[in-house]
Amino acid sequence: MESASSEILIDGAPFFRLYKDGRIKRLSGTENVPPGLDPKTNVESKDVLYSQEIAQSVRIYVPGTVVTSAQKLPLLVYFHGGGFCIESAFSPTYHNYLNALVAEAKIVAVSVNYRRSPEHPLPAAYDDSWTALKWVASHYIGTGPEQWLNHYVDFANVYLSGDSAGANISHHLAVKITNEKLDGMNLVGIILTHPFFWGKEPVGDEVKKPAIRAKMDGIWRLAYPTTSGSDDPWINPIDDQSFGRFLGCKRVLVCVAEKDVMRHRGWYYCEKLKNSKWGGEVEMMEAQGEDHVFHLNKPNCPNAVAMLKKVAEFINQGKA
C-alpha cells in the first residue's frame, strides 16, 4: 500500500497534485523572474514588501517615460490568477503581461502577491489583497514608504484587475472598498478577465455535465475548505440579493473567451449588473475561438493583442 504521503487526493494536472497528507505539488506557475528594466518595453519594475507580518510583496511597474513627465499616471492594482493555488506575482507569465500592459497604457501597475491555498486557505488571499490595497492607498498624500507610488501615481484614477481567481478578488475588493473607505484613493473601475465565478445551478448554456461541474466545485473547495459550496457568495456573488448595490466603482470591463467553461458566468455577471441598482457603465469583450487565460499563454496572438489594447483604452478613457 502507498503511504499517505504519496497517495493523491486531487489530481489537478497539469497544474497541481494534492496528496492525502495535505502536501501540494505545483506543476506549473512555479518559476520566478527578477524585477528590473525590461529592454523590450522600457518598463522598470521592483519588488517591495507590503506586509512584514505575512512576508508578502508587491511588484511595482512604471513606464520608461514616467521619469521625464510631470504628469501623474493612472494606477492599476493587479491580482494574479491560478485558482488561488498556483502562480505568483513574480512568474514570467505575469511579469511579461504587466510589462506589456504598462507600456501600452502608460500607467503604473502594482502586482500583488498573496498567500495561496491549500497551505493558506481562503480567505487568506482576500485578506492579503486587502492589506496590499490599504498599503498602496497609504501613499496618497505622497509620504508613503515607496517613492514610486508617492511620485508617479494619480490616486484619483485607480483600477483593480485580475484574471480568473484574481478577477474574483478584484470584484470582492471593489465591494469592500464601499464599506471600508480608503482615504485618498478613488476607484474608477475594475477589469475582470475570465472571472472565476461559479454556482450550483448552470446559467444560460453553461456546461451541465456532472463531472465538469464537480471538478469546478472541487477546485473551489480546495481553495476554501470551510466553504458552504458553489453558491457561497465568495464564488457566486452574482445571485446575492445585494449584488451591484455596493460595487465601489462606476466602470466595469469584463473579458471572456468563447471556449472557457466560465464564459457564461462572465456574461451573467454583466447582465445582472446592468439590471441592478448599481447605475454604472459596464462593457463586455469576448474573444472568439479562445480558451481560459489564452492571453497569458499566447500573448502575441491577434486576440491577445486586441484585448491588451482594449484594457489600455478602457483605463485611459476614465482619466479625470
Side-chain angles (χ1 to χ4, degrees):
M1 289 180 63
E2 288 185 297
S3 67
S5 62
S6 61
E7 287 186 69
I8 297 173
L9 180 64
I10 298 176
D11 191 347
F15 305 110
F16 65 86
R17 287 193 180 97
L18 181 69
Y19 295 87
K20 286 189 175 180
D21 65 355
R23 217 169 21 96
I24 186 170
K25 182 177 182 180
R26 293 180 172 89
L27 307 174
S28 64
T30 58
E31 183 184 356
N32 289 339
V33 293
L37 181 64
D38 179 49
K40 292 181 181 178
T41 59
N42 198 31
V43 169
E44 192 169 357
S45 58
K46 64 178 172 180
D47 295 341
V48 182
L49 193 71
Y50 70 83
S51 173
Q52 190 82 39
E53 183 181 357
I54 58 173
Q56 293 296 323
S57 299
V58 295
R59 180 163 291 183
I60 307 174
Y61 298 80
V62 295
T65 55
V66 74
V67 293
T68 59
S69 172
Q71 183 179 8
K72 293 196 172 186
L73 302 177
L75 173 67
L76 178 73
V77 184
Y78 194 89
F79 306 94
H80 71 82
F84 301 100
C85 296
I86 62 169
E87 288 289 356
S88 78
F90 316 121
S91 77
T93 298
Y94 289 101
H95 185 67
N96 293 336
Y97 173 71
L98 284 163
N99 276 326
L101 181 57
V102 166
E104 178 69 30
K106 302 297 187 293
I107 58 174
V108 175
V110 173
S111 183
V112 176
N113 210 47
Y114 51 81
R115 292 171 296 169
R116 300 169 302 184
S117 292
E119 299 95 329
H120 303 281
L122 292 176
Y126 296 120
D127 294 340
D128 294 356
S129 298
W130 180 247
T131 297
L133 193 60
K134 288 192 294 183
W135 178 85
V136 170
S138 73
H139 295 79
Y140 81 97
I141 58 174
T143 58
E146 173 45 51
Q147 294 307 308
W148 281 7
L149 299 182
N150 290 333
H151 294 323
Y152 303 140
V153 170
D154 176 8
F155 282 94
N157 285 292
V158 178
Y159 289 79
L160 305 181
S161 182
D163 62 283
S164 196
N168 176 301
I169 291 172
S170 297
H171 165 81
H172 285 293
L173 293 196
V175 172
K176 191 176 180 70
I177 210 170
T178 303
N179 300 317
E180 300 183 33
K181 300 288 185 183
L182 296 179
D183 290 342
M185 176 181 281
N186 178 44
L187 182 63
V188 179
I190 58 175
I191 302 150
L192 309 183
T193 302
H194 309 166
F196 183 20
F197 297 132
W198 201 241
K200 187 175 180 181
E201 298 299 326
V203 296
D205 293 328
E206 192 174 77
V207 62
K208 296 177 176 61
K209 291 182 180 178
I212 296 177
R213 299 200 69 82
K215 182 177 181 180
M216 294 296 295
D217 183 74
I219 292 171
W220 171 243
R221 288 181 183 277
L222 171 63
Y224 204 162
T226 60
T227 182
S228 59
S230 290
D231 280 338
D232 186 323
W234 288 108
I235 190 67
N236 184 15
I238 310 169
D239 285 333
D240 192 290
Q241 288 186 346
S242 63
F243 177 71
R245 193 181 309 164
F246 301 113
L247 194 63
C249 62
K250 287 299 180 184
R251 303 181 67 230
V252 172
L253 171 63
V254 179
C255 300
V256 299
E258 182 187 15
K259 295 181 178 180
D260 185 2
V261 70
M262 289 178 276
R263 164 186 178 261
H264 299 282
R265 290 283 155 176
W267 279 105
Y268 187 51
Y269 182 99
C270 288
E271 290 165 10
K272 293 279 281 191
L273 198 55
K274 287 177 182 178
N275 294 324
S276 73
K277 296 180 180 179
W278 173 56
E281 168 198 345
V282 59
E283 296 184 44
M284 191 77 189
M285 182 180 194
E286 179 167 336
Q288 298 299 313
E290 304 290 2
D291 211 331
H292 194 64
V293 298
F294 75 92
H295 64 297
L296 300 176
N297 301 321
K298 304 182 296 179
N300 297 317
C301 76
N303 280 332
V305 172
M307 194 170 83
L308 187 80
K309 290 183 179 298
K310 176 62 178 177
V311 171
E313 176 188 280
F314 180 81
I315 294 171
N316 284 300
Q317 279 179 346
K319 284 182 179 178

